[in-house]
């Protein structure tokens, strides 16, 4: 074994880093809306079952694969069987493609923090946001700025970069989230917002809703790409995988729900229709903020919250491919970060221009940004997840043993892994491609 390979200094550091990697834009701008639109509490119960009994399984396996082999995804797959090496490269491809759209959003967040900090507030955010994106340079520069801000941490290494960033940003994130939630629920009409999110509606129970919950769970838990494998590869041998995975799931879900508790009371107390994604965060919410009490601090805290979520997730995305260059190709970490950042920058530029200059450049009828989002969420992640389940369930059983332990619950998970979960993800891929 490689003696100089870094390890997390404590279990808490690992938990903060993996929660930081999992909690991202997916939790804040997608989950609350999906839950509200798909039947509120009914969706929540379904989602909890899906993450606890389906998505927890590949999550445990990924962490176990990293922990056992102590290597990057390409080397892990190669160690399991040289024939599988190609799938390691598919992981790295995913790890390069996701940042290319994710970091564009990071750039917008930086821009909005600057707007509010300098009190430079536009009168109409809808007009402002489309003007920002039709500029040929600004979105690219913002994306590159976000890339640099994020890349600094893997550049500095596991312990003094990634660990430190998460140790500082995640507690601050939690503090700001709770503060905003308290502020939001004390607004007039907050109840309406909470009702939108939580009210159970059994009529909305459809197959689509199940697929939606599965897709969301994979993305939010960062499963299927090797990010968790990479973080797992820095684990100490005594770590209990199952316990860590469920703790991670608990906090990821709690934070997603709290994000909704912040967003919907604010939206409803201003009589605005709930939306999701870029429209929610960069148009609807800022427009509301400016008319609210404590507008500037609330807006700055909200965008800082998003920034921390995006940076800590971005770190886990970059680290996956950096780790591959370091472990598999024996390239020095600093050089590896520069190479990966350069490749990311190359593909992130056309993605950043997808809302303006390159809006008419379409792949399968989608802008480059949307195409990257679509192909990773609908194909690459479910495919990577299916592969991990087949390896753990049938090909390399020592991984499942490490992942689940030998208690009764572990046995239940192992049964699900072999006979249920692969079918589920095969169906996800099938429907996603149709
Ligand atoms: N989970 C993050 C979010 O919810 C995004 C993310 C980070 C991710 N690393 C990943 C998604 C790896 C898939 C794979 O925003």
């Amino acid at each position: 074994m490689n003696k100089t390979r870094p390890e997390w200094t404590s279990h808490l550091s690992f938990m903060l880093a993996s929660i930081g990697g999992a909690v991202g834009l997916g939790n804040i701008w997608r989950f609350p809306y999906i839950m509200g639109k798909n039947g509120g509490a009914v969706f929540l119960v379904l989602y909890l079952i899906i993450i606890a009994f389906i998505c927890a399984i590949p999550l445990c396996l990924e962490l176990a694969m990293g922990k056992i082999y102590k290597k990057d995804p390409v080397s892990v797959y190669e160690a399991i069987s040289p024939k599988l090496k190609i799938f390691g490269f598919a992981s790295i491809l995913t790890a390069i493609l996701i940042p290319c759209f994710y970091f564009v959003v990071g750039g917008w967040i930086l821009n909005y923090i600057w707007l509010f900090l300098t009190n430079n507030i536009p009168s109409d955010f809808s007009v402002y946001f489309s003007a920002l994106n039709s500029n040929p340079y600004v979105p690219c520069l913002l994306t590159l700025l976000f890339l640099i801000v994020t890349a600094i941490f893997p550049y500095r290494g596991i312990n003094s970069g990634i660990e430190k960033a998460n140790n500082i940003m995640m507690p601050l994130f939690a503090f700001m989230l709770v503060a905003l939630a308290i502020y939001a629920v004390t607004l007039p009409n907050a109840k309406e917002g909470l009702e939108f999110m939580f009210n159970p509606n059994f009529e909305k129970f459809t197959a689509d809703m199940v697929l939606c919950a599965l897709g969301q769970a994979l993305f939010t838990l960062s499963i299927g790409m090797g990010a968790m494998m990479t973080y797992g590869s820095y684990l100490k041998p005594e770590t209990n995988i199952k316990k860590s995975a469920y703790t991670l799931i608990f906090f990821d879900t709690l934070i997603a729900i709290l994000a909704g508790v912040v967003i919907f009371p604010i939206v409803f107390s201003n009589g605005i229709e709930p939306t999701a994604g870029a429209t929610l965060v960069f148009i609807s919410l800022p427009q509301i903020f400016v008319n609210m009490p404590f507008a500037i601090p609330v807006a700055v805290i909200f965008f800082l919250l998003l920034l921390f979520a995006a940076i800590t997730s971005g770190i886990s995305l970059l680290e996956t491919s950096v780790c591959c260059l370091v472990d598999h190709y024996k390239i020095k970490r600093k050089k590896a970060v520069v190479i990966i950042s350069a490749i990311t920058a190359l593909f992130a530029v056309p993605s950043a221009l997808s809302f303006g200059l390159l809006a008419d450049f379409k792949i399968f009828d989608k802008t480059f940004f949307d195409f990257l989002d679509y192909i990773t969420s609908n194909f690459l992640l479910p495919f990577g997840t299916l592969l991990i389940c087949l390896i753990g369930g049938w090909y390399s059983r020592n991984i499942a043993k490490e992942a689940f332990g030998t208690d009764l619950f572990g046995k239940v998970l192992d049964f699900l892994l072999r006979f249920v979960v692969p079918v589920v993800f095969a169906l996800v891929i099938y429907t996603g491609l149709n």
Side-chain angles (χ1 to χ4, degrees):
M1 263 307 127
N2 185 353
K3 284 209 184 66
T4 55
R5 205 168 189 283
E7 272 183 357
W8 304 110
T9 42
S10 67
H11 187 62
L12 180 65
S13 289
F14 160 68
M15 283 317 311
L16 288 176
S18 55
I19 294 170
V23 172
L25 301 172
N27 300 61
I28 301 176
W29 84 6
R30 275 195 63 206
F31 180 84
Y33 183 75
I34 291 180
M35 183 171 152
K37 273 279 169 202
N38 280 295
V42 183
F43 179 86
L44 182 61
V45 172
L46 175 83
Y47 180 82
L48 290 177
I49 295 172
I50 282 180
I51 40 173
F53 294 103
I54 296 188
C55 294
I57 291 170
L59 175 60
C60 289
L61 290 174
E62 260 202 44
L63 290 170
M65 283 160 92
K67 187 185 153 191
I68 295 171
Y69 295 98
K70 294 210 149 299
K71 287 190 182 121
D72 66 286
V74 173
S75 310
V76 168
Y77 283 116
E78 191 184 23
I80 294 169
S81 161
K83 279 180 285 185
L84 294 176
K85 191 173 169 184
I86 174 129
F87 296 116
F89 291 116
S91 298
I92 304 306
L93 176 71
T94 317
I96 301 237
L97 294 182
I98 294 180
C100 294
F101 67 89
Y102 208 86
F103 288 15
V104 174
V105 182
W108 294 336
I109 297 171
L110 287 174
N111 184 81
Y112 272 62
I113 292 180
W114 181 248
L115 273 189
F116 281 102
L117 273 182
T118 53
N119 213 345
N120 220 330
I121 298 162
S123 55
D124 184 333
F125 277 92
S126 172
V127 174
Y128 174 80
F129 190 60
S130 63
L132 171 72
N133 280 307
S134 44
N135 186 298
Y137 308 109
V138 177
C140 303
L141 292 175
L142 287 169
T143 305
L144 296 183
L145 182 63
F146 182 83
L147 171 64
I148 293 169
V149 170
T150 307
I152 288 171
F153 303 104
Y155 187 86
R156 300 195 56 194
I158 301 299
N159 303 119
S160 43
I162 298 181
E163 231 177 79
K164 265 209 188 118
N166 282 290
N167 284 348
I168 296 170
M169 279 189 237
M170 288 317 289
L172 278 175
F173 174 89
F175 180 74
M176 293 192 295
L177 184 64
V178 171
L180 278 188
I182 293 172
Y183 169 85
V185 294
T186 52
L187 289 172
N189 291 336
K191 225 177 106 226
E192 241 180 280
L194 297 176
E195 273 168 10
F196 167 78
M197 190 159 152
F198 290 101
N199 255 4
N201 183 345
F202 287 93
E203 281 156 30
K204 299 226 169 108
F205 198 96
T206 57
D208 254 7
M209 177 174 152
V210 179
L211 283 176
C212 188
L214 276 163
Q216 169 66 13
L218 284 192
F219 190 83
T220 186
L221 293 173
S222 310
I223 304 173
M225 186 200 91
M228 288 300 170
M229 208 184 287
T230 306
Y231 274 13
S233 75
Y234 304 126
L235 278 175
K236 286 193 165 56
E238 62 272 16
T239 315
N240 181 331
I241 297 283
K242 203 166 46 180
K243 221 162 103 190
S244 311
Y246 279 95
T247 313
L248 170 59
I249 286 177
F250 173 79
F251 281 105
D252 185 77
T253 310
L254 180 70
I255 290 171
I257 295 173
L258 269 180
V261 171
V262 170
I263 290 170
F264 292 121
I266 294 181
V267 169
F268 278 85
S269 71
N270 287 272
I272 288 191
E273 274 297 297
T275 51
T279 316
L280 170 74
V281 167
F282 298 103
I283 299 173
S284 312
L285 279 176
Q287 200 68 56
I288 298 172
F289 286 151
V290 290
N291 299 318
M292 279 172 48
F294 312 110
I296 302 278
V298 168
V300 170
I301 292 176
F302 179 77
F303 283 103
L304 273 180
L305 201 68
L306 276 172
L307 181 70
F308 287 177
I311 291 181
T312 50
S313 291
I315 292 174
S316 85
L317 287 160
L318 289 181
E319 177 59 22
T320 307
S321 24
V322 167
C323 176
C324 170
L325 292 191
V326 173
D327 282 350
H328 196 76
Y329 294 102
K330 312 284 176 247
I331 293 174
K332 289 231 156 35
R333 169 166 285 276
K334 291 195 158 79
K335 197 168 156 198
V337 173
V338 174
I339 294 173
I340 294 300
S341 303
I343 299 174
T344 306
L346 205 65
F347 291 104
V349 163
S351 160
L353 294 176
S354 286
F355 301 84
L357 208 60
L358 296 181
D360 295 325
F361 169 67
K362 300 269 171 80
I363 307 176
F364 294 117
D365 227 18
K366 290 180 165 47
T367 63
F368 192 57
F369 180 102
D370 288 337
F371 175 73
L372 292 176
D373 185 5
Y374 177 82
I375 188 98
T376 50
S377 305
N378 287 285
F379 183 67
L380 290 167
L381 292 180
F383 182 80
T385 309
L386 175 63
L387 182 75
I388 287 162
C389 292
L390 292 176
I391 292 175
W394 298 95
Y395 195 77
S396 194
R397 297 286 293 146
N398 63 322
I399 297 171
K401 213 162 164 196
E402 172 71 50
F404 306 137
T406 47
D407 56 10
L408 181 64
F409 186 51
K411 289 205 176 87
V412 173
L413 293 179
D414 194 46
F415 175 82
L416 292 170
L417 163 66
R418 305 188 87 183
F419 301 105
V420 180
V421 181
V423 182
V424 172
F425 287 108
L427 279 175
V428 171
I429 298 169
Y430 177 77
T431 44
L433 291 180
N434 278 287

